[in-house]
Amino acid sequence: MAVIESKGNYYFFFDIDGDSSFTDGGGGIISFIAEEFAGGALPQFEFVFTTSDFKILKKINEGTVVSCTYGKSSDKTDTMELKIQKFEYTVFDTDYIRIELKGFIGTTTHLQKCEITGWKSKTSLDVIKDVAGIDYKVKSKASGTSDTQNWIRYNIPANRFIQEVWERSYISDKNFLVYAINRHGEFYIDDYLNATSGDEKWEFVAGETKGNKIMISPTYTIHSNHGLVNNVAVYKRERRVFNIETGGDSTKVSTPAKSPILASGSKINVQSSDPKNYGKVRSTHEAIHKNYHKALYNNSSKIALHGITEVEIETDSEYLPFELYDIAKFENWKIDPKDKDTELLSGLFLITRISRYWTNNRFRTAVTLSKDAMNNIKGELL
């Protein structure tokens, strides 16, 4: 069977369209990666294996679902649906095949289905929850927004519309909405002050993994990304273009973030000139709320400031149920905790990226921690 397992530590079982024996007879799993991101990006996966069963090729097509049952052990599991978007296979001497699959975890209709609809006298939070609820189970902890108006969805996919509504959402000058799509098929949405108000769920330290205290690799990376630099350097610079002939629009990004699994390359090529036949970008509203224009600046600057300090750490050998936006405490055990000048190397963070991967017969989890200050999470952005 197609299984990756270390008893009591981790368990992953794979089934391709009802077939779980595709690695039998000399085949084997080479690697598996599952990634989740804060924000609107869908969770993604990469699955590489070898097999001598050439019949499995009939089942590998774009849109085919690979069922992945996973957990700490075979009796404590959850299930992910891995939807194939890209595949590649190499035949070796006609005896066996190396197959590489890439795709999204969960449904993809969020990226594809377009609708024309509208909401009268609704808040941005209400609209986002309505749209997200079509494809996902919505898990909301946000207290609410102060931006009641009419909202119009002009025949664009759900992910694009939610992003545009989020840009114009408004809670207060010191707060904003955060959201993510996780591996469980949930659309999680909260406001930043609430997300950062609790106690830590995880504590990353050196030493033995015990309870919620997690041993991490002694090698880790800390990034200090000051919000002013992000903005002056044109954080998330983009240009939206609307084609008046096709009725479609596109976004061109000149400062891409880290490349996800499905990226075609490490960089996004930006055209040096605007395409022809473009007109005014359509709006998502009729009567706007009073903070409509302020909201765009507020949300863009706050999300940039949210990443002032990032720490990339790694845990080894054990499956742990980390979730996006969990609060985690990071301690640099080589720094005196009483030394206030080095507080930026420790403190409370939010988990904003989770990468679980098995390769070279070793299971690891890489986690990105983010916070809005040089020491503990403040929950009050500049």
Side-chain angles (χ1 to χ4, degrees):
M1 293 192 300
V3 176
I4 301 171
E5 181 179 17
S6 173
K7 290 188 177 181
N9 292 316
Y10 58 84
Y11 174 84
F12 291 84
F13 171 79
F14 300 91
D15 181 298
I16 300 179
D17 195 24
D19 186 348
S20 60
S21 61
F22 54 88
T23 58
D24 295 351
I29 297 173
I30 297 175
S31 64
F32 175 67
I33 304 172
E35 290 191 312
E36 302 170 81
F37 315 88
L42 269 62
Q44 301 178 16
F45 79 92
E46 179 182 275
F47 183 35
V48 183
F49 61 92
T50 59
T51 179
S52 58
D53 181 9
F54 279 67
K55 294 180 181 179
I56 196 66
L57 295 178
K58 296 180 180 180
K59 298 184 176 183
I60 296 177
N61 296 291
E62 183 178 345
T64 297
V65 173
V66 179
S67 178
C68 174
T69 302
Y70 68 97
K72 191 174 179 66
S73 61
S74 59
D75 59 346
K76 295 180 181 179
T77 61
D78 202 345
T79 301
M80 292 185 286
E81 289 190 347
L82 314 178
K83 198 166 187 179
I84 299 172
Q85 300 297 315
K86 296 172 65 176
F87 63 87
E88 177 181 310
Y89 62 88
T90 305
V91 179
F92 295 92
D93 298 327
T94 71
D95 291 329
Y96 68 98
I97 326 164
R98 181 186 184 276
I99 299 176
E100 181 177 307
L101 308 176
K102 296 180 180 181
F104 295 113
I105 301 173
T107 181
T108 57
T109 57
H110 193 67
L111 306 177
Q112 299 167 327
K113 188 177 179 181
C114 298
E115 291 185 0
I116 301 175
T117 187
W119 292 260
K120 186 175 182 179
S121 299
K122 293 284 188 178
T123 67
S124 62
L125 180 60
D126 292 333
V127 173
I128 290 174
K129 288 163 63 177
D130 283 350
V131 176
I134 297 173
D135 300 312
Y136 301 101
K137 179 181 178 181
V138 177
K139 186 177 180 181
S140 175
K141 294 185 178 180
S143 57
T145 55
S146 302
D147 50 19
T148 299
Q149 67 169 53
N150 297 339
W151 303 86
I152 302 174
R153 179 178 173 184
Y154 285 96
N155 202 33
I156 57 175
N159 68 311
R160 293 287 302 279
F161 181 64
I162 288 174
Q163 172 68 21
E164 293 186 8
V165 173
W166 173 84
E167 290 175 352
R168 302 294 182 171
S169 64
Y170 184 82
I171 302 175
S172 71
D173 290 352
K174 293 188 176 182
N175 200 4
F176 66 105
L177 293 175
V178 294
Y179 66 94
I181 299 169
N182 62 32
R183 66 189 183 281
H184 309 294
E186 296 174 335
F187 185 96
Y188 174 90
I189 186 165
D190 201 351
D191 64 82
Y192 190 76
L193 291 184
N194 186 59
T196 58
S197 64
D199 297 325
E200 68 267 21
K201 186 174 181 180
W202 308 99
E203 185 175 352
F204 296 104
V205 295
E208 182 181 357
T209 299
K210 185 176 182 181
N212 287 343
K213 291 189 176 183
I214 312 301
M215 180 183 68
I216 65 172
S217 168
T219 301
Y220 56 88
T221 303
I222 297 178
H223 304 282
S224 180
N225 303 314
H226 196 281
L228 178 62
V229 176
N230 285 340
N231 285 288
V232 171
V234 197
Y235 171 82
K236 195 185 177 184
R237 183 178 183 181
E238 64 182 35
R239 180 175 64 250
R240 291 191 177 180
V241 179
F242 182 75
N243 190 308
I244 60 177
E245 292 183 349
T246 65
D249 64 354
S250 59
T251 301
K252 302 190 181 304
V253 182
S254 60
T255 52
K258 299 176 183 177
S259 298
I261 291 172
L262 292 176
S264 58
S266 59
K267 295 182 179 179
I268 299 176
N269 295 322
V270 181
Q271 294 184 8
S272 58
S273 61
D274 292 339
K276 297 179 179 179
N277 301 321
Y278 62 91
K280 184 179 179 180
V281 178
R282 79 280 178 271
S283 63
T284 59
H285 66 279
E286 285 184 339
I288 62 176
H289 63 85
K290 65 179 182 180
N291 291 303
Y292 182 85
H293 297 293
K294 179 196 288 187
L296 179 60
Y297 165 77
N298 187 67
N299 292 330
S300 299
S301 59
K302 297 299 185 290
I303 202 69
L305 290 166
H306 168 55
I308 278 183
T309 304
E310 287 188 342
V311 181
E312 296 180 4
I313 61 175
E314 189 175 276
T315 68
D316 198 5
S317 302
E318 182 181 6
Y319 172 82
L320 295 164
F322 302 132
E323 302 291 349
L324 294 170
Y325 294 115
D326 278 353
I327 297 178
K329 184 177 182 181
F330 170 73
E331 293 185 4
N332 186 326
W333 57 92
K334 292 185 178 181
I335 300 294
D336 183 352
K338 296 180 181 179
D339 184 355
K340 293 184 179 181
D341 292 335
T342 57
E343 281 186 339
L344 73 92
L345 300 177
S346 299
L348 298 180
F349 294 76
L350 289 179
I351 294 178
T352 55
R353 179 169 178 163
I354 306 168
S355 301
R356 295 180 171 91
Y357 54 105
W358 186 90
T359 183
N360 296 324
N361 293 313
R362 182 184 175 192
F363 177 73
R364 287 166 288 177
T365 303
V367 177
T368 298
L369 307 174
S370 303
K371 63 180 176 180
D372 62 352
M374 291 300 184
N375 39 45
N376 285 338
I377 300 173
K378 296 299 183 185
E380 294 187 5
L381 299 165
L382 299 177

